[in-house]
Amino acid sequence: MNPVDSFVAGRKDCDSRPMSSRAVLLLVCLSGLACAGPAVAAETFGLQGGQAALAARAQVEWVEQAQALERRADWSGLLAWGQDWARVDARNPLAWFVQGRALGELGRFDEAIAAYRHNLSLAPGDVLARNNLGNAWRDSGHAHEAMRAYRAAVEIDPDYLPAWQNLGLTFYRVKGQAGVTQALQKLQALDPKLADVWRALAVEYSVTGDARVAREAIRVWRGLSKARRTRMFGILLDEG
């Protein structure tokens, strides 16, 4: 399972697969971008032939074609499209997000990680890219790095449910039932409210997918101090 924000439906989690429930799409922003009205074409001065044609494409055209390629699961085509996009608009994080999405599906995880990192160097607050970076780390066998990426996503936007689900499922994959129980016992001894939050998010929500459970836990989470949140992640991620 994997909550997934894909490029296809507004870029939600282009690859969150609750760890495979592919259901959420490329940028919630993307839908907005695609409908935002006339886009300003890129300057083509100094470019020749095919380069000029690429540079003249409006943002909406890049987005719509990426969505179409993703819907067809044409990952090689999506990768090539993202590479073309980056050649003419290297500062656009979406061009790198698209490449990460395609590379992850092609099993080229190291390259997917590099693409998502480039995306995040341009847009550090992009929780969708952070979630998908976590997926690439997880799928390449680096679960602890994956959990750190999911943690970063929920710290930026606690309401971003796919990252919570991926964090809970990856934690269970690494620690097993005994590890989940042990973590809850440690949290209970430290701060019962933290134990309740983690139980709701990592156990109840990750298993049932009931968003109401997650939202109530997040409401409590938002009311906690930064120090208390940090203590929770310190226990979960073995950071002391």
Side-chain angles (χ1 to χ4, degrees), residues 1 27 42-43 50 55 57 63 98 100 134 141 157 164-165 185 191 195 219:
M1 308 166 95
L27 246 133
E43 175 58 61
R57 288 191 172 119
V63 169
V98 166
D157 181 4
W164 280 115
Q165 190 171 9
Q185 289 171 342
D191 187 332
R219 184 190 65 77

Side-chain angles (χ1 to χ4, degrees), residues 43-124:
E43 175 58 61
T44 61
F45 180 78
L47 299 178
Q48 301 298 318
Q51 285 182 304
L54 286 174
R57 288 191 172 119
Q59 168 97 335
V60 67
E61 184 178 347
W62 288 107
V63 169
E64 288 178 348
Q65 179 62 8
Q67 291 174 326
L69 289 164
E70 189 188 42
R71 278 193 293 270
R72 297 200 298 268
D74 181 356
W75 308 118
S76 296
L78 184 62
L79 175 58
W81 186 253
Q83 290 168 335
D84 280 347
W85 193 352
R87 272 193 285 274
V88 299
D89 192 4
R91 300 290 301 171
N92 191 325
L94 292 183
W96 299 96
F97 186 97
V98 166
Q99 292 180 64
R101 173 76 171 120
L103 288 162
E105 290 291 343
L106 292 168
R108 294 161 60 176
F109 300 120
D110 289 347
E111 293 168 88
I113 288 165
Y116 285 127
R117 281 177 159 173
H118 198 113
N119 178 160
L120 290 165
S121 73
L122 298 170

